[in-house]
Amino acid sequence: AQKITQTQPGMFVQEKEAVTLDCTYDTSDPSYGLFWYKQPSSGEMIFLIYQGSYDQQNATEGRYSLNFQKARKSANLVISASQLGDSAMYFCAMREAFTGGGNKLTFGTGTQLKVEL
Amino acid sequence: GAGVSQSPSNKVTEKGKDVELRCDPISGHTALYWYRQSLGQGLEFLIYFQGNSAPDKSGLPSDRFSAERTGGSVSTLTIQRTQQEDSAVYLCASTPLFDANTGELFFGEGSRLTVL
Protein backbone atom coordinates (compact mmCIF):
# COMPACT_ATOMS: atom_id res chain seq x y z
CA ALA A 1 0.00 0.00 0.00
CA GLN A 2 1.11 3.54 -0.70
CA LYS A 3 2.38 5.27 2.40
CA ILE A 4 1.33 8.70 1.17
CA THR A 5 -1.53 9.14 -1.26
CA GLN A 6 -2.38 12.37 -3.03
CA THR A 7 -5.38 11.71 -5.23
CA GLN A 8 -5.55 15.07 -6.98
CA PRO A 9 -2.94 15.31 -9.74
CA GLY A 10 -4.15 18.80 -10.63
CA MET A 11 -6.30 21.48 -9.01
CA PHE A 12 -7.54 24.89 -10.09
CA VAL A 13 -8.60 27.69 -7.77
CA GLN A 14 -9.56 31.29 -8.30
CA GLU A 15 -7.46 34.01 -6.77
CA LYS A 16 -8.55 34.91 -3.21
CA GLU A 17 -10.46 31.65 -2.80
CA ALA A 18 -9.49 28.89 -0.37
CA VAL A 19 -8.35 25.49 -1.63
CA THR A 20 -7.88 22.11 0.05
CA LEU A 21 -5.24 19.67 -1.14
CA ASP A 22 -5.85 16.10 -0.04
CA CYS A 23 -3.37 13.75 1.58
CA THR A 24 -3.92 10.39 3.21
CA TYR A 25 -1.21 8.29 4.80
CA ASP A 26 -0.62 4.78 6.00
CA THR A 27 1.58 3.85 8.93
CA SER A 28 1.59 1.52 11.91
CA ASP A 29 4.10 3.70 13.74
CA PRO A 30 2.44 5.56 16.64
CA SER A 31 4.98 8.38 16.35
CA TYR A 32 5.20 10.15 13.02
CA GLY A 33 5.32 13.59 11.46
CA LEU A 34 3.52 14.98 8.46
CA PHE A 35 4.88 17.69 6.20
CA TRP A 36 3.78 19.76 3.25
CA TYR A 37 6.27 21.15 0.77
CA LYS A 38 5.77 23.47 -2.18
CA GLN A 39 7.79 23.09 -5.38
CA PRO A 40 7.55 26.05 -7.77
CA SER A 41 8.68 25.73 -11.36
CA SER A 42 12.19 26.73 -10.26
CA GLY A 43 12.46 23.27 -8.72
CA GLU A 44 13.47 23.93 -5.14
CA MET A 45 11.40 22.43 -2.36
CA ILE A 46 9.96 24.90 0.14
CA PHE A 47 8.79 23.73 3.56
CA LEU A 48 5.29 24.94 4.41
CA ILE A 49 3.95 23.25 7.51
CA TYR A 50 4.47 20.38 9.95
CA GLN A 51 2.11 18.30 12.10
CA GLY A 52 3.26 15.82 14.71
CA SER A 53 1.16 12.74 15.38
CA TYR A 54 0.76 13.67 19.03
CA ASP A 55 -0.10 17.30 18.41
CA GLN A 56 -3.55 18.07 19.76
CA GLN A 57 -4.20 21.05 17.56
CA ASN A 58 -4.05 21.48 13.82
CA ALA A 59 -0.91 23.23 12.64
CA THR A 60 -1.18 26.68 11.10
CA GLU A 61 1.40 28.87 9.37
CA GLY A 62 0.06 32.10 7.97
CA ARG A 63 -2.31 31.25 5.11
CA TYR A 64 -1.54 27.54 5.44
CA SER A 65 -3.32 25.19 7.80
CA LEU A 66 -3.21 21.44 8.10
CA ASN A 67 -6.51 19.66 8.66
CA PHE A 68 -5.27 16.66 10.65
CA GLN A 69 -7.78 13.85 11.10
CA LYS A 70 -5.83 11.12 12.83
CA ALA A 71 -8.51 8.44 12.86
CA ARG A 72 -9.00 8.88 9.12
CA LYS A 73 -5.23 9.11 8.53
CA SER A 74 -5.70 12.29 6.62
CA ALA A 75 -3.59 15.46 6.59
CA ASN A 76 -5.10 17.87 4.13
CA LEU A 77 -3.49 21.23 3.39
CA VAL A 78 -5.76 24.25 3.32
CA ILE A 79 -4.54 27.40 1.61
CA SER A 80 -6.68 30.43 2.33
CA ALA A 81 -6.91 33.54 0.14
CA SER A 82 -5.02 31.97 -2.78
CA GLN A 83 -2.50 34.12 -4.61
CA LEU A 84 -1.05 33.75 -8.11
CA GLY A 85 2.28 32.92 -6.48
CA ASP A 86 0.74 29.83 -4.92
CA SER A 87 0.74 28.12 -8.31
CA ALA A 88 3.14 25.21 -7.83
CA MET A 89 3.39 21.50 -7.13
CA TYR A 90 2.52 20.57 -3.57
CA PHE A 91 3.87 17.46 -1.87
CA CYS A 92 2.67 15.74 1.28
CA ALA A 93 5.32 13.75 3.14
CA MET A 94 5.66 11.61 6.26
CA ARG A 95 8.46 10.84 8.66
CA GLU A 96 8.11 7.65 10.70
CA ALA A 97 10.06 7.20 13.91
CA PHE A 98 10.89 3.55 13.27
CA THR A 99 12.83 4.39 10.10
CA GLY A 100 15.64 5.54 12.31
CA GLY A 101 17.19 8.87 12.97
CA GLY A 102 16.95 11.92 10.84
CA ASN A 103 14.42 13.16 8.40
CA LYS A 104 13.89 10.29 5.98
CA LEU A 105 10.65 11.39 4.41
CA THR A 106 8.26 9.42 2.25
CA PHE A 107 6.65 11.69 -0.31
CA GLY A 108 3.39 11.52 -2.21
CA THR A 109 3.22 12.07 -5.96
CA GLY A 110 2.11 15.66 -5.59
CA THR A 111 -0.74 17.93 -6.61
CA GLN A 112 -0.22 20.62 -9.24
CA LEU A 113 -2.11 23.74 -8.15
CA LYS A 114 -2.95 26.48 -10.59
CA VAL A 115 -4.32 29.77 -9.29
CA GLU A 116 -6.38 31.69 -11.81
CA LEU A 117 -7.50 35.32 -11.97
CA GLY B 1 23.06 33.34 4.23
CA ALA B 2 23.78 30.86 1.48
CA GLY B 3 21.42 28.00 0.96
CA VAL B 4 22.15 24.46 -0.17
CA SER B 5 24.20 24.57 -3.34
CA GLN B 6 24.18 21.80 -5.95
CA SER B 7 26.23 21.34 -9.09
CA PRO B 8 25.92 20.83 -11.93
CA SER B 9 22.40 22.13 -12.35
CA ASN B 10 22.08 20.13 -15.55
CA LYS B 11 24.02 17.13 -16.75
CA VAL B 12 23.55 15.21 -19.97
CA THR B 13 25.51 12.00 -20.29
CA GLU B 14 25.63 8.88 -22.40
CA LYS B 15 24.48 5.54 -21.15
CA GLY B 16 27.30 3.68 -19.46
CA LYS B 17 29.25 6.75 -18.35
CA ASP B 18 29.86 7.65 -14.71
CA VAL B 19 28.57 10.92 -13.25
CA GLU B 20 29.26 12.85 -10.08
CA LEU B 21 26.81 15.25 -8.49
CA ARG B 22 27.92 17.65 -5.80
CA CYS B 23 26.11 19.12 -2.81
CA ASP B 24 27.35 21.87 -0.53
CA PRO B 25 25.03 22.07 2.50
CA ILE B 26 24.19 25.09 4.60
CA SER B 27 27.12 25.93 6.85
CA GLY B 28 26.73 24.35 10.26
CA HIS B 29 24.15 21.79 9.18
CA THR B 30 25.20 18.36 10.37
CA ALA B 31 22.70 16.24 8.46
CA LEU B 32 22.69 15.82 4.69
CA TYR B 33 20.22 13.93 2.50
CA TRP B 34 20.01 12.90 -1.12
CA TYR B 35 16.64 12.41 -2.78
CA ARG B 36 15.71 11.56 -6.36
CA GLN B 37 12.70 12.94 -8.22
CA SER B 38 11.76 11.14 -11.39
CA LEU B 39 9.42 12.78 -13.90
CA GLY B 40 5.91 13.05 -12.50
CA GLN B 41 6.87 11.37 -9.25
CA GLY B 42 7.39 12.39 -5.68
CA LEU B 43 10.77 12.40 -4.06
CA GLU B 44 12.50 9.13 -3.29
CA PHE B 45 14.97 8.92 -0.39
CA LEU B 46 18.46 7.74 -1.36
CA ILE B 47 20.96 8.28 1.46
CA TYR B 48 21.41 10.20 4.71
CA PHE B 49 24.55 11.43 6.49
CA GLN B 50 24.55 12.59 10.10
CA GLY B 51 27.80 13.90 11.53
CA ASN B 52 30.42 11.18 11.84
CA SER B 53 27.90 8.34 12.01
CA ALA B 54 27.77 5.65 9.35
CA PRO B 55 25.48 6.83 6.55
CA ASP B 56 22.01 5.38 6.08
CA LYS B 57 22.22 3.93 2.56
CA SER B 58 18.90 2.11 2.68
CA GLY B 59 17.41 4.06 -0.22
CA LEU B 60 20.16 3.53 -2.79
CA PRO B 61 18.53 1.67 -5.70
CA SER B 62 21.57 -0.35 -6.76
CA ASP B 63 25.27 -0.78 -6.14
CA ARG B 64 25.92 1.59 -9.05
CA PHE B 65 24.99 4.39 -6.68
CA SER B 66 27.32 5.60 -3.95
CA ALA B 67 27.84 8.76 -1.98
CA GLU B 68 30.42 10.20 0.31
CA ARG B 69 30.66 13.20 2.53
CA THR B 70 34.09 14.61 3.16
CA GLY B 71 34.93 16.58 6.27
CA GLY B 72 31.32 16.60 7.39
CA SER B 73 30.41 19.13 4.72
CA VAL B 74 30.38 18.66 0.95
CA SER B 75 28.84 15.48 -0.42
CA THR B 76 29.25 13.78 -3.78
CA LEU B 77 26.73 11.35 -5.23
CA THR B 78 28.29 9.06 -7.82
CA ILE B 79 26.35 7.01 -10.34
CA GLN B 80 28.42 4.45 -12.21
CA ARG B 81 27.54 3.00 -15.60
CA THR B 82 24.49 5.23 -15.93
CA GLN B 83 21.26 3.83 -17.33
CA GLN B 84 18.37 5.68 -18.91
CA GLU B 85 16.21 5.00 -15.87
CA ASP B 86 18.67 7.05 -13.81
CA SER B 87 17.38 10.19 -15.55
CA ALA B 88 15.86 12.32 -12.82
CA VAL B 89 16.40 15.39 -10.69
CA TYR B 90 18.69 14.66 -7.78
CA LEU B 91 17.91 16.86 -4.80
CA CYS B 92 20.15 17.45 -1.82
CA ALA B 93 18.90 18.73 1.53
CA SER B 94 20.46 19.57 4.86
CA THR B 95 19.30 20.19 8.41
CA PRO B 96 20.86 21.28 11.64
CA LEU B 97 21.23 18.65 14.33
CA PHE B 98 17.95 16.78 14.13
CA ASP B 99 15.09 18.83 15.51
CA ALA B 100 12.34 16.53 16.69
CA ASN B 101 9.85 19.38 16.65
CA THR B 102 9.75 19.92 12.94
CA GLY B 103 12.84 18.57 11.22
CA GLU B 104 12.39 20.90 8.27
CA LEU B 105 14.61 19.96 5.33
CA PHE B 106 16.40 22.76 3.46
CA PHE B 107 16.64 21.74 -0.17
CA GLY B 108 18.92 22.79 -2.99
CA GLU B 109 17.59 23.42 -6.49
CA GLY B 110 18.66 20.01 -7.69
CA SER B 111 20.81 18.51 -10.41
CA ARG B 112 18.89 17.42 -13.47
CA LEU B 113 20.46 14.30 -14.96
CA THR B 114 19.60 13.12 -18.45
CA VAL B 115 21.01 9.82 -19.66
CA LEU B 116 20.82 9.38 -23.42
Side-chain angles (χ1 to χ4, degrees):
Chain A
Q2 294 285 332
K3 283 192 174 284
I4 295 286
T5 302
Q6 294 181 255
T7 57
Q8 306 154 313
M11 288 280 286
F12 290 89
V13 65
Q14 289 214 312
E15 195 181 21
K16 300 179 186 175
E17 297 290 312
V19 63
T20 298
L21 306 183
D22 294 343
C23 173
T24 58
Y25 59 91
D26 183 28
T27 182
S28 56
D29 193 341
S31 178
Y32 54 90
L34 296 158
F35 299 76
W36 278 91
Y37 280 84
K38 171 184 178 181
Q39 187 177 44
S41 56
S42 59
E44 68 176 300
M45 297 285 284
I46 301 168
F47 167 77
L48 296 179
I49 197 166
Y50 167 82
Q51 179 86 41
S53 58
Y54 295 117
D55 292 344
Q56 295 296 312
Q57 295 191 333
N58 287 344
T60 59
E61 288 287 346
R63 294 187 297 110
Y64 304 107
S65 61
L66 199 152
N67 184 0
F68 181 46
Q69 298 188 42
K70 194 169 183 177
R72 290 179 145 189
K73 293 189 174 178
S74 130
N76 298 340
L77 177 70
V78 180
I79 305 174
S80 63
S82 297
Q83 302 172 355
L84 293 177
D86 294 335
S87 294
M89 182 72 89
Y90 288 80
F91 290 99
C92 180
M94 176 171 64
R95 177 186 67 222
E96 296 166 287
F98 70 68
T99 59
N103 240 350
K104 289 164 57 177
L105 301 184
T106 302
F107 284 82
T109 52
T111 295
Q112 182 72 49
L113 177 67
K114 172 84 168 152
V115 180
E116 301 173 315
L117 290 170
Chain B
V4 176
S5 177
Q6 291 189 246
S7 61
S9 54
N10 277 287
K11 176 72 177 178
V12 180
T13 191
E14 293 180 347
K15 178 181 172 181
K17 297 283 177 99
D18 297 353
V19 297
E20 286 189 349
L21 307 176
R22 175 189 167 104
C23 173
D24 200 345
I26 293 172
S27 177
H29 281 192
T30 59
L32 186 149
Y33 305 77
W34 284 98
Y35 283 82
R36 175 170 73 173
Q37 185 175 22
S38 302
L39 187 63
Q41 300 296 313
L43 278 69
E44 172 191 13
F45 167 78
L46 297 177
I47 187 168
Y48 155 62
F49 297 90
Q50 173 62 62
N52 295 321
S53 302
D56 180 340
K57 305 178 183 180
S58 59
L60 294 178
S62 77
D63 59 8
R64 296 186 297 104
F65 288 72
S66 64
E68 63 177 20
R69 189 178 184 194
T70 53
S73 181
V74 172
S75 176
T76 303
L77 177 69
T78 301
I79 309 172
Q80 296 179 307
R81 304 181 303 281
T82 52
Q83 304 294 312
Q84 288 182 332
E85 61 262 27
D86 299 334
S87 296
V89 176
Y90 290 82
L91 287 156
C92 178
S94 69
T95 66
L97 187 63
F98 178 57
D99 177 357
N101 290 326
T102 65
E104 174 188 351
L105 288 170
F106 296 82
F107 281 89
E109 294 193 353
S111 292
R112 181 177 296 277
L113 174 66
T114 303
V115 182
L116 301 177

